[in-house]
Amino acid sequence: MSQQSATKPSLPISEDQWKDLRVPYENIKEKWDSIYSSHLDDDFERSPGVKKLTLQSYYENLDISGKINKKEDALEKILDVDEEWKYDLYAVVYFSKYCINSPSTIKSCFDRCESKADGTDYEDLYDDISESPDPVARVALLHFLDYDLLKDILVLDHCHGRTPSTQATIGNSDKEDKIADQADQITGHMEKFEDRDIELWHDFEHNGEHYVAISREIGDDVEQQVEGNLEEAPAELVTLRTREGSLEIMANSGKIASRARSGLGKSDEDFDIDITPPSTDSEDVLDAVSTLDSTQGESPSQMTLRGIKNKNSPLHGSPTIEIRGESDISMAIEQLREEGYDLTESIGNIERFDVRYNGKTYNLYPELVRSESDDDGWIVKYGAQGLSDTERRDFEEQAEELLEIPVMYEKR
């Protein structure tokens, strides 16, 4: 197959663009001799670090011929073109190692970008890097192909393993890809509550999911230490992710996330946003507690009841009673029940019950949902420490399957 040469600019990413990616490029240049030159030398020996595949991307971009035998010699040839390339190379290393927490986000973005390399001088190199576990080589090639791909990675990493700060459903799910068009409405609503710059930073689609990342300025008075040099802290991200009619917002607080969600709800586009989770009736919630009670029959082996808090117990004076254990507490509840003190008799008195599932303890909170009609229902919100996105989804599926009640995560 004939190949066409890819566009080869002097430097693929500007200093301001690197800064936008959280890479202190100006500092790297200013402190090169005292700090970063030795760091790059060290990265020639480290893993992850600078390998031959990373340098090969520079060879292809700069049209340097010959096989790479010794990495140090290859770097000399690259710097013979322009000394500025050493800053760019270290920026690639810095982004890969210090800006991204999960290398899997780099890989998932790299895997969907094969078409960008097809038919260019990078085509064979893309295949070689695909077979390698090297995240630095992937970033090196991607930064030559398209700067926006690195922004994709930063947003994916922001969401990776993170529990949403708030959730909702989008009734008009066919409009999910139009959320970015309403960015001005979202940011304008958020700015009503705080005096800082808030703007659309990036939007893209990845594996059938739509991402809209909003940049929220931290503030001029906030500084962070970057390799011994004080710089203004970069803005933080607020990311809206939609998939199959669900809206999830990742932010540093539930308050910030709720403002973004409200801004979307006030936009010109009719997304039909509903923040009310599916409700159930009181008997279903009581049945869920009974299902966990091993003294009432065959309880699911995957889940055990580890705690319960009754805010209006049947004991004298109706005190709050809380029982917690390192193992199943069903027998303790049964002993109280035999004495005439049933802590599970009324769902309205249960403030919380705790479930152990797959090595984690989940706190479930039944809440009454008032409606204008007489048909009030109950929702069950839950929380847990250190939940990954995968663990959260797994628990929600298992709660519906084993306990037959819908549950909704709420950050507490």
Side-chain angles (χ1 to χ4, degrees):
M1 176 173 60
S2 62
Q3 294 181 328
Q4 63 187 43
S5 296
T7 303
K8 299 176 181 179
S10 297
L11 288 174
I13 296 181
S14 70
E15 186 171 312
D16 286 341
Q17 287 176 321
W18 276 121
K19 184 179 179 181
D20 210 22
L21 292 169
R22 294 18 178 189
V23 175
Y25 196 87
E26 181 180 359
N27 193 37
I28 290 172
K29 292 177 67 175
E30 290 178 355
K31 301 286 186 178
W32 183 259
D33 291 335
S34 60
I35 297 176
Y36 294 103
S37 177
S38 61
H39 282 194
L40 183 60
D41 290 341
D42 292 341
D43 280 310
F44 268 64
E45 307 300 327
R46 292 171 176 160
S47 185
V50 179
K51 308 301 180 187
K52 289 182 180 179
L53 284 173
T54 297
L55 298 172
Q56 191 65 49
S57 289
Y58 286 83
Y59 264 42
E60 292 292 351
N61 181 75
L62 298 172
D63 201 20
I64 299 174
S65 60
K67 184 178 180 181
I68 296 178
N69 294 314
K70 190 175 180 181
K71 291 187 293 183
E72 289 75 12
D73 293 342
L75 179 60
E76 277 191 33
K77 289 185 178 181
I78 293 169
L79 299 188
D80 282 344
V81 177
D82 192 330
E83 281 283 326
E84 292 281 315
W85 284 105
K86 63 189 179 186
Y87 307 132
D88 182 86
L89 175 57
Y90 188 73
V92 165
V93 175
Y94 188 99
F95 178 83
S96 307
K97 295 178 63 174
Y98 305 118
C99 297
I100 304 302
N101 293 315
S102 174
S104 66
T105 59
I106 298 175
K107 184 179 186 304
S108 65
C109 186
F110 188 87
D111 289 346
R112 69 170 167 82
C113 296
E114 183 176 3
S115 61
K116 290 183 176 291
D118 286 348
T120 73
D121 292 340
Y122 298 109
E123 185 172 7
D124 292 338
L125 179 60
Y126 179 93
D127 293 337
D128 292 339
I129 295 176
S130 294
E131 298 174 1
S132 164
D134 187 355
V136 180
R138 291 192 175 104
V139 170
L141 181 54
L142 290 178
H143 101 293
F144 285 123
L145 291 174
D146 189 346
Y147 159 71
D148 280 342
L149 297 175
L150 301 193
K151 298 182 80 171
D152 291 4
I153 292 171
L154 204 62
V155 175
L156 292 174
D157 194 70
H158 175 247
C159 298
H160 181 78
R162 187 170 186 155
T163 304
S165 302
T166 190
Q167 296 173 273
T169 58
I170 299 178
N172 294 325
S173 58
D174 58 325
K175 296 185 177 182
E176 290 180 0
D177 59 344
K178 300 184 183 300
I179 290 180
D181 298 337
Q182 306 301 316
D184 287 345
Q185 301 278 353
I186 301 171
T187 57
H189 180 76
M190 294 174 70
E191 285 179 337
K192 290 179 180 179
F193 298 91
E194 45 188 341
D195 184 20
R196 66 182 74 235
D197 290 334
I198 301 174
E199 60 186 8
L200 175 67
W201 189 74
H202 190 46
D203 69 277
F204 62 101
E205 183 177 351
H206 178 76
N207 293 343
E209 301 173 350
H210 297 276
Y211 291 79
V212 177
I214 292 171
S215 172
R216 177 177 176 270
E217 183 185 40
I218 293 178
D220 294 337
D221 57 337
V222 180
E223 294 179 324
Q224 66 174 0
Q225 192 77 19
V226 182
E227 295 290 350
N229 185 42
L230 286 175
E231 293 188 355
E232 181 183 336
E236 64 183 23
L237 292 181
V238 178
T239 303
L240 291 79
R241 176 174 64 191
T242 58
R243 56 173 120 192
E244 299 178 352
S246 70
L247 169 68
E248 301 174 338
I249 302 179
M250 272 62 68
N252 285 345
S253 76
K255 182 185 295 185
I256 294 171
S258 295
R259 289 170 182 168
R261 184 193 62 207
S262 297
L264 181 62
K266 296 176 183 296
S267 66
D268 297 332
E269 195 76 50
D270 179 20
F271 292 102
D272 188 18
I273 295 177
D274 184 6
I275 63 173
T276 304
S279 63
T280 184
D281 59 40
S282 60
E283 290 301 318
D284 287 338
V285 182
L286 283 176
D287 287 345
V289 178
S290 296
T291 298
L292 291 165
D293 188 343
S294 59
T295 66
Q296 299 297 301
E298 186 176 346
S299 62
S301 58
Q302 301 97 318
M303 292 187 181
T304 56
L305 185 62
R306 294 294 182 89
I308 191 167
K309 185 175 183 179
N310 187 302
K311 58 189 176 185
N312 188 28
S313 74
L315 276 70
H316 180 71
S318 303
T320 296
I321 295 292
E322 182 173 7
I323 300 176
R324 302 182 71 179
E326 295 298 319
S327 57
D328 186 8
I329 64 165
S330 299
M331 187 59 70
I333 292 175
E334 177 62 19
Q335 286 179 315
L336 287 171
R337 187 181 292 125
E338 290 175 351
E339 296 297 325
Y341 307 118
D342 189 354
L343 300 182
T344 64
E345 183 176 15
S346 171
I347 188 59
N349 293 334
I350 297 178
E351 180 176 327
R352 189 192 76 239
F353 60 100
D354 305 329
V355 170
R356 188 73 174 174
Y357 171 71
N358 207 18
K360 286 186 178 292
T361 298
Y362 295 79
N363 310 121
L364 288 82
Y365 304 85
E367 293 185 13
L368 181 64
V369 180
R370 298 289 184 185
S371 65
E372 295 180 359
S373 66
D374 294 332
D375 189 23
D376 293 341
W378 288 81
I379 60 174
V380 179
K381 297 180 180 180
Y382 76 94
Q385 294 292 323
L387 271 187
S388 70
D389 192 45
T390 300
E391 288 172 324
R392 180 178 59 82
R393 293 180 181 280
D394 178 44
F395 178 74
E396 290 173 5
E397 290 176 2
Q398 291 301 311
E400 289 208 38
E401 180 178 337
L402 300 176
L403 305 182
E404 298 183 356
I405 54 171
V407 297
M408 176 186 181
Y409 176 81
E410 181 176 78
K411 197 170 187 178
R412 290 179 181 252

